[in-house]
Structures are given as C-alpha cells and as structure tokens.
Amino acid sequence: MKNVTNISKKVFLMVALMATVLGYANDGSFLIRKTNTNKTVLTLNDVKVGNLFSIKDANGLVLYKETIQTAGLYIKGFNLTSLPNGKYTFELDKDMEVKSIPFSVLDNEVDFKRNSAEAIVFKPSTILKDNMIYVTKLALSKAPLVIEVYYDEGEYKPYKLLHRETIEANAKKIERAYKLDEDVQGTYKIVYKTEGKQFIEYLVN
C-alpha cells in the first residue's frame, strides 16, 4: 500500500508539471506553450505557403520575420526571455487578413494573458475595372478606414495625392468606388490605414 501511495504522488507531480509546461494559451486557432527550457512554442493552425509570420514590438518594429514554406500547421519555438521589458505581438499576415497575438515581457518572464486572443484586421480588397476603382473591406470592429489615392507622375517625382478621405465604419462592411480620369493613364497607388496598420496596392490603368 505504501508503494502505491508513493507512485500516486509521483504521477500527480508529473501531471502537475505537464500542466505547467503545456497549459499556456489556446483559443482554437493557435496554441502557445512554455517549455521547461524557457522556450515559448507557438502553433498556428491553417497557415498557407506565402503567409508572412513576424514578431513585432510595441512600435511596430519587426524583430523576426519568416515566410511560411509549408501549408497546414506552423510550429516553432522562440526564446523570448531576453527581450527588453515591453509589449510585443506575434503577427501572421495572410491573404485577406492580419492576425496578431499579444504578449509581454517583464524581467525575463513572458506573459500571455489567459484571455489572450487573436486580434484580426481585415485587409481591403481593391479591383480596377473600366477606369473604376472598387474598394470593399470587412469592418467587424467598425474601426475608421483612411483611403489615399496617389498617381505616379514619372521618374524622380513623388506620387501625387489625388484623393484622401476617412470613412467611419457604421456597418460591418465598407464599400467605395472611385472613377479615374480616362485621359490619365499610368500607375496608381492606393494606401489604406486602419487599426494601426497600413496596406498598399498598386494599380496600372
């Protein structure tokens, strides 16, 4: 009976240790676990070839960047304990959205809040057809969208700003259409700014 009790204690200790090592953060689309070597292992579900993964600081400075080479699961370990104190994000740039997972570092300790979840910013969709630019964007967070339309005036000249507006999202979808001058052919640059991010599209009319 004494041996059984001892074994039970060992098993309980092992289970508790595994819970400490593996139980960290999980919202269904990603899993974060901390190993006993102070590594943070990130698992992302449903990535695609060409997606861009990065780690950024609070100012948007890219500390690590990698282009996904294999579709499916992305699993990688990072030693984040040496980062300066501050707030950071894991960021996955996909075809039509950017997902961010926040974390912080304080005195060599990496913290993912229990309620951490992906923040998703949807990218605008831009279509050029018959001298018309059509813009659509999901706006589930109802954040404002700044749209700037520029024209390339040629070599050694900066892009000329043709139009700028800020759209307040009163619905879950933003839609805009812009008519281009048929006599002005060339390259246009569309700049979108929303939720602290910037997206750029180039169109040739």
Side-chain angles (χ1 to χ4, degrees):
M1 184 69 179
K2 184 176 180 181
N3 288 338
V4 172
T5 303
N6 287 342
I7 292 173
S8 299
K9 287 181 178 179
K10 289 179 182 178
V11 171
F12 179 78
L13 180 61
M14 288 177 64
V15 171
L17 178 61
M18 289 295 288
T20 302
V21 171
L22 298 180
Y24 212 39
N26 181 12
D27 80 341
S29 60
F30 71 93
L31 171 67
I32 296 169
R33 60 187 176 91
K34 187 176 181 180
T35 71
N36 52 14
T37 59
N38 286 327
K39 273 195 174 182
T40 297
V41 179
L42 172 68
T43 300
L44 297 172
N45 298 321
D46 195 28
V47 300
K48 295 182 180 179
V49 175
N51 289 170
L52 182 63
F53 172 78
S54 58
I55 300 175
K56 296 183 177 182
D57 68 10
N59 297 315
L61 180 66
V62 178
L63 307 178
Y64 175 84
K65 183 168 64 175
E66 176 186 356
T67 301
I68 303 297
Q69 302 295 326
T70 304
L73 286 179
Y74 173 86
I75 304 174
K76 193 153 190 171
F78 302 92
N79 187 350
L80 306 172
T81 58
S82 61
L83 289 173
N85 292 348
K87 296 181 179 180
Y88 301 87
T89 56
F90 288 132
E91 186 173 283
L92 182 64
D93 192 329
K94 307 180 78 172
D95 293 336
M96 294 305 299
E97 63 187 29
V98 177
K99 294 184 176 182
S100 300
I101 304 168
F103 67 94
S104 60
V105 177
L106 179 61
D107 298 333
N108 305 117
E109 289 292 329
V110 183
D111 182 31
F112 289 85
K113 300 298 182 182
R114 288 188 176 183
N115 60 352
S116 290
E118 290 175 331
I120 300 178
V121 177
F122 294 97
K123 295 181 180 181
S125 172
T126 313
I127 297 176
L128 174 62
K129 184 179 180 181
D130 299 329
N131 292 308
M132 295 288 296
I133 297 176
Y134 299 95
V135 176
T136 59
K137 182 189 179 301
L138 283 176
L140 302 184
S141 65
K142 295 188 176 181
L145 173 66
V146 177
I147 301 178
E148 298 172 345
V149 182
Y150 294 86
Y151 176 70
D152 184 1
E153 292 193 298
E155 193 174 7
Y156 306 119
K157 292 183 179 180
Y159 277 87
K160 180 181 179 181
L161 178 62
L162 302 178
H163 177 77
R164 185 184 191 276
E165 68 173 313
T166 299
I167 303 170
E168 298 294 336
N170 297 318
K172 294 183 178 180
K173 187 176 183 180
I174 293 173
E175 296 180 307
R176 279 292 190 275
Y178 303 98
K179 183 173 178 58
L180 301 178
D181 189 336
E182 296 181 9
D183 298 327
V184 182
Q185 302 294 312
T187 301
Y188 291 83
K189 180 173 73 172
I190 317 299
V191 179
Y192 303 101
K193 299 175 184 178
T194 185
E195 298 182 71
K197 299 191 179 301
Q198 178 175 284
F199 306 103
I200 299 177
E201 293 279 353
Y202 293 92
L203 306 172
V204 179
N205 187 32

